[in-house]
Every structure is written in structure tokens, then in C-alpha cells.
Amino acid sequence: MPRSNKRTLLQTLLFCVLLGSILFFNGNTVAVKAGTEDAYKNLELLTEVLRQIEKNYVEPQENRKLVQGAIKGMVQSLDPHSTFLSKEEHQDLLSETKGSFSGIGIEITVRDNVLTVVSPIEGSPAYKAGMQAGDRIIKIDGKVAADMTLPEAVKSIRGEKGTKVTLTVMREGSDKPLEFTVTRDVIPIRSVRSTLLNPKIAYVRVSNFQSKTTADLSAEMEKLEGGRKLEGLILDLRNNPGGLLSQAIDVSDLFLESGVIVSTKGRESSQDMKATAHKKKTDRN
């Protein structure tokens, strides 16, 4: 092949590579730019709604409250288990997992878009007043509960010791709403209770998973066993609303010898987690 033809071919190839590179990088830039523009447009919409509310709503609104409300709505739209907590709500959650809080003593959740009692805490004011698991709360102090988020409802139900709150509930099998006026108190959360049904069979109730649940359960098991191996154990987790995942894992590990207890997978590999059981000196299989 003549030298001039080779040079022409080489120049053509270089031009194609350069053109391809420009299209490739520009294509990515356009995609990134388009995604960014969409995000900015949505943020502009949010800002405009915020401005209109501040300017035209019948009553003045606190800017911080509006922004937090928007964030809560955004996070709740992800799935039923995601929620945004303010600093105060986060502190309330921490106090609950550490063993006590001031309120009436009920665990609540949202089921089918209705605020529902998971379980009254044994011995609490709500328990003594006759509230039951499955009660659907329709009003709190006369305010419609359907208009409240879960954190807002919790905040409304809790309060200082000695104060009262009135809950209106619908109960399966009841033709009309039931009303409970309950006096708030300091609620000590004892997550583990146990008893011997007979010398060889034990019953253990784990009502939730808080910071000391595993240690308390281990102590209860040692007391029940009394140096001997039990023939049977009833581990009661009914109406347990959950709590600290780390404690749920450790409680499971008390009774499992091997295998995966729980695993999670995130968008990034760094978010993946796997907890496995370990073989122990005490055989509780």
C-alpha cells in the first residue's frame, strides 16, 4: 500500500476514534445534565409551593415545619417502613429503647393506613384501662388520627406523668367506637418475662428488643435452667413490635448454632450486611 494511502487511512481512523470519543463523553454529559435539570425543576416546584403556602395560606406557617413536612412525605412515599425523625422524635425513640418513657404504654403502627395498637405493654395504664392489640385509633383527644403521621400520633399520646389523654378506638366485634381516657405515667419497659410451667418446661416472653434484651434473656435462661438442661422452652414473640435489630440478632444467636440469621443488601456493596449464628458452650437446641 502506498505511503500516502496509509497516511490517509491512519488519519481517517484517528478522526473516527476522536469523533466517537466526543460523542461518548458528550452523550454522558447530556444524560447527567438532563438528570440534573430534572432534579432542579422538581426542586423549583417544591420551592414555588413553599412560597405560595407562605404567601397565601390562611394562617402563617413556620418555614422549618413546612420543610420537615415535605421531607417526611418524601421519605414515607418510599415504603411503609421508612420515616424521617426530627431531633425530638429521635430522642424519644432512643429513650424507648433504653428502657423507659412517659406515656400510656402502647406500641402502635400503621396498618392499612389506620393507626393500630400492636400491643399494650403489660402492667401499663393502657393495659389496665383495657386497650387491646388490634384496636384501631380513630381519634386522639378529639383530633382525627387519620390526619397524623405515626411520629405525630406518638407525640400526641405521650406526655408528662399525671396528665391524661383520650383515645377513641374501633375494635373488631364492636358496633360503635370505644373511648379510653388514660392517665400517663412513667413506663418502665421490661422486655423479658419468664416462668416455669413445670420443672422441665419454661415459658419466656420477649415483648420488644431494647438495649438490654439479650443480657436480660440470658440471665432469665440461666435462672430457669438452674444448672440443668430444660426439655422444652416456649419463646413467646407475639405482638412484639420490634426494636433494635442488633438485639434481635443476638437473641436469635442464643438459640441457633449455625446459618445466616439475617442479611441485607443495599444499592452499594458497602451497605451489605450478613449476621450468622455461632456455636456456643450451652446447648439449647
Side-chain angles (χ1 to χ4, degrees), residues 80-81 93 96-97 101 105-111 116-122 133-134 150 154 158 187 189-193 205-210 213 236-245 247-248:
H81 310 291
L93 179 63
E96 188 172 328
T97 58
F101 63 92
I106 54 172
E107 300 285 354
I108 59 176
T109 189
V110 175
R111 291 179 182 166
T116 305
V117 177
V118 176
S119 177
I121 297 172
E122 296 172 29
L150 182 58
V154 170
R158 290 184 180 178
I187 310 298
I189 306 175
R190 182 182 171 191
S191 62
V192 181
R193 290 179 173 83
R205 162 77 173 150
V206 179
S207 58
N208 64 0
F209 295 102
Q210 54 179 264
T213 298
D236 188 355
L237 297 174
R238 291 175 299 170
N239 297 321
N240 184 317
L244 298 176
L245 176 61
Q247 289 296 302

Side-chain angles (χ1 to χ4, degrees), residues 16-163:
C16 290
V17 170
L18 179 60
L19 179 62
S21 299
I22 292 172
L23 290 174
F24 175 78
F25 287 111
N26 281 352
N28 281 353
T29 303
V30 170
V32 172
K33 185 177 180 181
T36 304
E37 286 179 353
D38 287 342
Y40 281 136
K41 286 179 181 179
N42 290 325
L43 287 174
E44 287 173 3
L45 175 62
L46 177 63
T47 303
E48 178 60 23
V49 172
L50 180 63
R51 190 179 71 81
Q52 290 294 335
I53 292 174
E54 289 179 329
K55 181 180 178 182
N56 298 313
Y57 189 69
V58 64
E59 295 175 352
Q61 296 294 309
E62 183 184 348
N63 185 278
R64 179 174 175 270
K65 180 181 177 182
L66 291 174
V67 172
Q68 285 201 348
I71 295 172
K72 286 184 178 182
M74 176 174 60
V75 175
Q76 287 173 345
S77 71
L78 299 174
D79 58 67
H81 310 291
S82 297
T83 187
F84 169 79
L85 299 179
S86 66
K87 181 180 179 180
E88 296 77 14
E89 291 164 345
H90 182 245
Q91 290 299 322
D92 288 342
L93 179 63
L94 289 178
S95 67
E96 188 172 328
T97 58
K98 288 179 180 177
S100 69
F101 63 92
S102 181
I104 65 172
I106 54 172
E107 300 285 354
I108 59 176
T109 189
V110 175
R111 291 179 182 166
D112 300 324
N113 297 319
V114 180
L115 198 64
T116 305
V117 177
V118 176
S119 177
I121 297 172
E122 296 172 29
S124 68
Y127 182 89
K128 294 175 182 177
M131 296 195 71
Q132 298 178 9
D135 283 349
R136 292 171 294 164
I137 301 173
I138 57 176
K139 290 183 181 180
I140 302 173
D141 281 335
K143 297 180 181 178
V144 178
D147 297 335
M148 303 180 185
T149 64
L150 182 58
E152 288 171 345
V154 170
K155 187 174 181 179
S156 297
I157 293 172
R158 290 184 180 178
E160 294 183 6
K161 176 181 177 179
T163 59

